[in-house]
Amino acid sequence: MGRPVTGGVGAGRLLVGRCRLAFGGGPGSLRAMADPVIGIDLGTTYSAVGIVEAGFPILLADEEGERLMPSVAWFGPGVVKVGRAALREMAEGRLVRSAKRQMGVRFGEAPGACLPVVRASEGGMAFRTAEGEVTPVEVSRVLLSELKRIAEFRLEQEVRRAVITVPAYFNNAQREATKQAGEEAGLEVLRLVAEPTAAALAYGMDKLAERSRVAVFDLGGGTFDVSILELREGVFEVLATGGDTRLGGDDIDSVVLNLVARKAGLEGPALEMEGVDRDRLVREAERVKCELSREESAIFRAPFYDGSRSLEEQVERVELEGGMDSELATMRRICREVLVDAGMEVAGVEAVVMVGGSSRLPVVQRLAGEVFKQEPDCSQHPDEAVAIGAAIQAGILAGTWREVLLLDVTPLSLGVETLGGLMNVLIPRNTTIPCKVGEMFTNARDGQDSMQVRVLQGERELARDNWELGKFDLPFRSAPRGKARVGLQLSLDEDGILEVLARDVEGGGPDVIVKIESAAVDVSEEAVEQMVEE
Ligand code: ADP
Ligand code: MG
């Protein structure tokens, strides 16, 4: 085998997200679980674990009978608590929540975190807790360990393999970070599955006509995803997907809190002051928000929130809805873009499948209904559909759910720069992954003995108009112009992780293998969509 090049790869962003689902028959036959595979929805705010048992996907509940685990970890002196147990502790700079938002994100580019952050190794970030620094991968590792423990407790056997879902928009670095967390938790991660794909699997096709198109609308705690899938001759294909990795219920909690602060005559910073248990205020805001999904008004109560003063304010549902203008506008824009991307009119959408806890908000359901001009389908359990889909995918891989095939495709073309600064596409967009493509290149000058390989992603003709995922120098035996032979191979694995292999075919020498492990989130979703449109 070859040797890896170190330090050769710069910042970049690899996008994979589209997918195609192919279905065969229904649930498979009963089998003994020799080596079970669990399905995990590692959510920003809530996580869950499931498995296919006797041909049916089920979620596994913890000792308290809860199927949803808050995605929070509490780092105490010599002890780490997870989920509800973590929430029962005093936060005091020890509670980490929404760590998923920081997964694979570079320090400085990290969106607002729950705790102060510091720079960690490899350009990443870490949370500064009272017990020391903790990286997002470590937080995810403890969450996954706990889910593994719950599964082992319920199944009464060891669990070593898992499928984990990720938002469709997670880039290469974020996927790698998720996989790494799973492996550090002692799980072999067989597959990373896009969340809307999992939701589509949970929704199933038994509800659909032979040929139809559905939209999956997923508004969770921290991410928003919309995908349009087409079912044709037993095959589901994702025609388009879009979303925002920084939009979800957390933002709506902030809307509630700001509303309350304004009503109480408190400036924003008044709630940031020392002595204020901000975490408790956020939790109360979330409670009020959830109540407003059912009631027209709710009362926010935070006695002695700063040790001496108390808050008590009534909040109306209409006030909350009025404060969500910008979030709603973003959702509306993304839905429309996804429709355009799929080349569709709303009339062609047979069902709008609502998932994600925040899809319970009536205003969100109204918005989906208004954009897609139809009553949205709320038949799926909003919090559990993704985990159920993950369990189904796990069952497929374990062989307990047969004759179902799941294929992902790459949403943007991958290639390298060639003479004249042109983009040479090796893997065209919408290619089914895993895939492997190779091409031969030659030297442009006499006596040239190395070439720079720039790996690019994008749809534009000129290399510089596309995104650079990485670059490295490949040495080869000096030869007259056009005589050197350099083979380049790009391979994308099931998880959308890219590996580049380069070889001097004429001159021999070792292979150069570069794994694209980008650590940056430096491209906006809009930019990707715009490029695809062009
Ligand atoms: P994620 O996948 O991001 O972890 P979930 O799909 O589990 O998130 O959704 C969690 C979000 O749903 C949280 O922000 C939570 O407050 C919100 N949520 C749960 N129940 C309700 C409800 N009844 N009304 C409004 N929002 C809700
Ligand atoms: Mg989710």
Side-chain angles (χ1 to χ4, degrees):
M1 282 301 286
R3 75 187 153 85
V5 165
T6 49
V9 176
R13 172 187 166 107
L14 176 68
L15 281 157
V16 278
R18 298 228 172 155
C19 44
R20 183 182 298 144
L21 309 178
F23 288 82
S29 57
L30 228 169
R31 273 210 213 169
M33 277 187 282
D35 193 2
V37 183
I38 53 174
I40 293 176
D41 170 10
L42 183 62
T44 310
T45 42
Y46 289 94
S47 298
V49 56
I51 192 157
V52 169
E53 208 178 55
F56 288 98
I58 54 159
L59 294 193
L60 302 168
D62 66 9
E63 286 85 343
E64 296 171 29
E66 301 285 353
R67 292 191 300 269
L68 290 182
M69 182 187 89
S71 304
V72 298
W74 182 83
F75 295 85
V79 55
V80 179
K81 296 193 175 180
V82 179
R84 279 176 193 81
L87 291 177
R88 282 194 283 266
E89 298 292 334
M90 293 292 284
E92 289 174 339
R94 297 176 180 276
L95 189 75
V96 182
R97 48 170 75 239
S98 301
K100 182 173 168 180
R101 285 191 166 184
Q102 325 288 336
M103 285 289 270
V105 171
R106 269 200 303 211
F107 180 76
E109 288 173 352
C114 56
L115 287 177
V117 299
V118 293
R119 187 184 294 275
S121 59
E122 289 155 29
M125 55 75 73
F127 301 99
R128 200 167 67 217
T129 77
E131 274 308 296
E133 292 165 16
V134 187
T135 65
V137 170
E138 278 158 10
V139 178
S140 298
R141 186 211 9 114
V142 303
L143 299 178
L144 291 166
S145 297
E146 174 64 5
L147 294 165
K148 176 177 186 280
R149 193 197 61 77
I150 292 170
E152 289 176 337
F153 162 72
R154 282 295 164 206
L155 300 173
E156 297 178 341
Q157 72 182 111
E158 196 192 353
V159 173
R160 294 176 306 185
R161 303 185 294 167
V163 165
I164 305 177
T165 59
V166 290
Y169 268 98
F170 255 25
N171 67 20
N172 203 45
Q174 293 167 308
R175 282 164 195 252
E176 281 277 12
T178 304
K179 199 168 176 177
Q180 188 193 336
E183 272 150 21
E184 288 176 8
L187 290 167
E188 185 190 344
V189 182
L190 299 186
R191 190 72 60 92
L192 296 174
V193 179
E195 289 161 11
T197 303
L201 271 172
Y203 182 75
M205 359 180 286
D206 46 327
K207 299 186 189 75
L208 292 165
E210 189 46 42
R211 198 190 162 98
S212 47
R213 288 168 170 189
V214 293
V216 175
F217 185 109
D218 180 352
L219 184 63
T223 57
F224 175 53
D225 275 289
V226 191
S227 304
I228 294 179
L229 302 98
E230 184 177 55
L231 175 65
R232 202 182 332 121
E233 288 159 17
V235 177
F236 253 139
E237 184 177 2
V238 175
L239 300 179
T241 185
D244 187 332
T245 53
R246 297 177 194 181
L247 174 64
D250 293 351
D251 303 297
I252 303 167
D253 299 342
S254 304
V255 171
V256 172
L257 197 52
N258 291 338
L259 210 63
V260 168
R262 211 176 59 225
K263 285 185 166 217
L266 295 168
E267 294 307 318
L271 297 181
E272 309 280 351
M273 277 181 347
E274 209 168 321
V276 174
D277 185 352
R278 172 134 188 121
D279 209 70
R280 186 159 68 99
L281 295 178
V282 172
R283 249 185 281 168
E284 177 63 3
E286 180 180 14
R287 191 195 62 77
V288 165
K289 172 191 71 176
C290 294
E291 195 173 322
L292 289 175
S293 289
R294 299 181 300 268
E295 313 288 342
E296 292 297 334
S297 75
I299 297 174
F300 182 103
R301 286 193 183 89
F304 310 114
Y305 69 94
D306 65 351
S308 57
R309 285 174 297 175
S310 299
L311 269 175
E312 182 164 329
E313 294 294 333
Q314 178 163 330
V315 183
E316 307 295 321
R317 184 193 282 175
V318 286
E319 291 175 310
L320 170 60
E321 295 178 349
M324 283 172 55
D325 273 352
S326 91
E327 287 79 10
L328 294 170
T330 304
M331 286 180 239
R332 195 174 291 119
R333 172 179 60 74
I334 291 171
C335 288
R336 296 211 167 113
E337 284 171 1
V338 169
L339 276 166
V340 169
D341 224 34
M344 290 185 63
E345 301 289 328
V346 285
V349 179
E350 190 132 311
V352 181
V353 182
M354 302 295 282
V355 296
S358 305
S359 71
R360 287 194 184 85
L361 287 161
V363 68
V364 171
Q365 294 175 2
R366 281 207 306 277
L367 172 127
E370 176 199 311
V371 175
F372 291 99
K373 297 197 170 69
Q374 63 186 283
E375 197 66 31
D377 181 313
C378 302
S379 66
Q380 294 306 296
H381 193 303
D383 307 312
E384 299 184 357
V386 170
I388 288 288
I392 293 173
Q393 175 62 32
I396 295 166
L397 296 173
T400 48
W401 180 290
R402 291 179 308 163
E403 297 175 76
V404 186
L405 195 67
L406 188 83
L407 305 166
D408 281 314
V409 301
T410 164
L412 287 176
S413 301
L414 290 162
V416 293
E417 175 174 349
T418 53
L419 198 62
L422 296 180
M423 163 82 168
N424 183 325
V425 172
L426 288 173
I427 301 178
R429 66 186 289 250
N430 281 334
T431 300
T432 301
I433 59 174
C435 63
K436 206 178 252 187
V437 180
E439 200 167 311
M440 295 293 258
F441 293 89
T442 190
N443 53 339
R445 283 181 283 108
D446 280 334
Q448 185 181 347
D449 61 0
S450 83
M451 72 187 240
Q452 190 182 56
V453 178
R454 280 184 74 206
V455 184
L456 306 166
Q457 183 169 41
E459 304 309 314
R460 302 218 171 95
E461 217 170 296
L462 292 178
R464 67 173 142 85
D465 294 334
N466 291 311
W467 289 301
E468 181 181 294
L469 295 173
K471 61 170 175 245
F472 60 93
D473 285 314
L474 177 73
F476 51 83
R477 207 169 61 186
S478 168
R481 176 166 185 257
K483 284 287 182 281
R485 286 278 173 277
V486 172
L488 268 186
Q489 188 182 63
L490 300 192
S491 59
L492 259 181
D493 71 10
E494 286 87 351
D495 299 319
I497 289 163
L498 179 67
E499 205 173 75
V500 185
L501 181 146
R503 177 183 296 167
D504 174 2
V505 179
E506 288 286 286
D511 290 352
V512 176
I513 296 175
V514 177
K515 206 169 182 189
I516 302 289
E517 286 185 80
S518 62
V521 181
D522 51 7
V523 178
S524 71
E525 273 82 61
E526 292 80 42
V528 171
E529 264 150 36
Q530 196 193 337
M531 181 183 275
V532 171
E533 240 166 75
E534 284 172 21

